[in-house]
Amino acid sequence: MDWTPTRTEGLARLKTFLPNAGRHYAEERNYDYGPEARENVSCLSPWIRHRLLTEREVVDTVLARHSFKQAQAFIHEMVWRTYWKGWLESRPIIWTAYREAVEACLRDFDADPRIYARYCEAVEGRTGIAPFDAWVQELVSTGYLHNHARMWFASIWVFTLELPWPLGADFFYRHLLDGDPASNTLSWRWVAGLHIRGKTYLARADNIAEYTDGRYALKADALAGEAIPLEGPPHPPPMTLRAPDEVPDEPFALLLTEEDLDPFSVDRRLEKAKGVAGLVLIEERSPLEEGELATAFAYGAIADALSRCGRSIGMEPCMLEEPSSGALLGWAKSLGVDTIVVIDPPVGPVREALDDVAPALEGAGVALLRLRRDWDDAFWPHATESFFKLCDRIPQTFEALGIKT
């Protein structure tokens, strides 16, 4: 599998997968045949996560080849990522609580070295549970895991190894090429019974054997026999989403982040930018060291986007070294503009960084305008309850977006 972090490679992968995006995907998607046999799934998630490819263009491409009914399973998987982002967008305190929980778990290592030893066994693939240990090695060496393997992994981490779920989520977030704050955090919470109260996911030996095509044959008692939901506070009520800004009439600079790397598909007027710069904050994902492959993909993706955008606007792009107000102000002033435009990053480290510097920018007379994609604007307001309620709205939402089904 070629994980080159460019839009060109993402489009090539989409073209390769396209014939299988209909009934074949629906029938085969739950099987993890191993890292050398991924033809049954799309493997598009790293490009979509960074929006080197957008959800809209992938859906449009698939529906040009398959009917909505044939491609429904794939479309639902696409919308899952949108659901997680929209749900967290209206409840950002869940993200804050996760960040604090990771810090607290790391501090607990000092108080209980036994937990630290068990954690090390897990992240080094030394648990003695063959599939789990293999998935650790696959994750670290490729930056990817099949979705079903991610569910099994999280369940074993929480219910068999009895390790804190935030540390498992942190391990994924540091290494996955497609790791993002919402999908990663909320998927782990779902497995642990914290997203839908009382609903957990239990990894079973027979299920693993069936859906890995017999590669792993565990004894039934090798894994936890039950998945008792973890305790946690009730969900806060959803917040009203902030209204997006518009492309300004006055001169502006365009800021790219690893959250959205196809800005001109948001609004073609962004091609009028006086300059474009990139900002990568993968180092802010965790207090621990980020994975080399995830880091390389994020930096490679933004380099690809900067190159494409720079050619479009006829300006040499630059990479900002840090998300400080001083760096942003210096860049804006060098271009002679008082406005910076960014595709608003969803809840996560990039959003935190921009929120931190926005007051200082405003105080210095530089406006930070945040645009939002039509896709997010259409789906996010309906992503406040269960995924299946959002699913029921897919046809109407597609119609509002002008997507033919």
Side-chain angles (χ1 to χ4, degrees), residues 51 105 146 159 195 198 214 303 315 352 369 373 389:
R51 279 179 165 162
C105 288
H146 186 284
F159 300 115
H195 186 70
M315 295 284 290
E352 291 173 337
L369 302 184
R373 285 188 178 273
K389 286 191 176 182

Side-chain angles (χ1 to χ4, degrees), residues 70-386:
Q70 291 171 336
Q72 189 172 44
F74 177 72
I75 289 170
H76 282 189
E77 289 302 308
M78 289 280 297
V79 175
W80 261 111
R81 182 173 291 269
T82 301
Y83 166 72
W84 289 134
K85 287 180 180 292
W87 196 94
L88 192 62
E89 198 70 16
S90 67
R91 296 177 175 89
I93 193 172
I94 298 294
W95 167 253
T96 302
Y98 157 71
R99 299 277 266 185
E100 292 172 348
V102 171
E103 296 277 6
C105 288
L106 294 176
R107 290 194 298 271
D108 287 345
F109 285 161
D110 293 331
D112 191 345
R114 292 172 299 177
I115 295 180
Y116 178 65
R118 286 167 42 219
Y119 168 80
C120 289
E121 288 179 350
V123 299
E124 293 169 8
R126 297 186 289 107
T127 67
I129 302 172
F132 183 93
D133 292 346
W135 293 324
V136 169
Q137 299 307 320
E138 182 181 349
L139 173 61
V140 173
S141 63
T142 70
Y144 182 84
L145 282 181
H146 186 284
N147 185 61
H148 211 161
R150 299 183 197 201
M151 295 167 63
W152 290 322
F153 187 108
S155 181
I156 293 170
W157 180 287
V158 173
F159 300 115
T160 298
L161 301 177
E162 297 182 338
L163 288 167
W165 76 265
L167 292 182
D170 173 78
F171 182 56
F172 268 21
Y173 192 30
R174 288 187 290 117
H175 288 282
L176 284 170
L177 303 181
D178 62 12
D180 74 60
S183 296
N184 189 61
T185 305
L186 299 181
S187 294
W188 273 82
R189 285 173 55 85
W190 182 84
V191 167
L194 294 169
H195 186 70
I196 299 177
R197 296 302 176 181
K199 184 175 180 60
T200 56
Y201 180 78
L202 179 64
R204 304 191 322 271
D206 61 340
N207 186 262
I208 292 174
E210 177 181 357
Y211 286 100
T212 59
D213 202 28
R215 287 186 298 128
Y216 298 110
L218 295 170
K219 294 182 179 179
D221 61 359
L223 305 179
E226 59 181 346
I228 299 173
L230 301 186
E231 296 292 330
H235 298 322
M239 297 170 52
T240 301
L241 299 180
R242 186 188 66 81
D245 297 315
E246 300 289 339
V247 178
D249 293 327
E250 65 268 17
F252 63 90
L254 178 62
L255 177 64
L256 300 187
T257 76
E258 71 255 40
E259 298 296 334
D260 200 308
L261 296 175
D262 192 30
F264 301 148
S265 65
V266 176
D267 195 310
R268 299 303 303 187
R269 290 175 294 172
L270 292 178
E271 293 182 345
K272 297 179 179 180
K274 298 301 181 182
V276 59
L279 183 63
V280 177
L281 291 175
I282 192 171
E283 294 85 356
E284 300 300 319
R285 289 188 181 187
S286 169
L288 301 177
E289 185 175 1
E290 64 280 357
E292 291 182 6
L293 297 180
T295 300
F297 194 96
Y299 275 96
I302 204 162
D304 175 68
L306 285 173
S307 176
R308 287 185 285 108
C309 291
R311 289 195 301 271
S312 292
I313 68 174
M315 295 284 290
E316 187 70 25
C318 67
M319 180 73 82
L320 300 180
E321 296 295 328
E322 57 179 358
S324 68
S325 57
L328 288 165
L329 284 171
W331 169 57
K333 295 303 182 183
S334 73
L335 297 172
V337 301
D338 294 323
T339 305
I340 297 173
V341 174
V342 65
I343 311 304
D344 196 17
V347 171
V350 179
R351 167 74 66 79
E352 291 173 337
L354 293 184
D355 285 347
D356 285 345
V357 301
L361 293 178
E362 184 177 354
V366 173
L368 180 64
L369 302 184
R370 310 184 195 205
L371 278 55
R372 187 180 299 143
R373 285 188 178 273
D374 290 346
W375 178 277
D376 296 336
D377 240 1
F379 275 108
W380 283 1
H382 307 295
T384 58
E385 297 183 53
S386 75

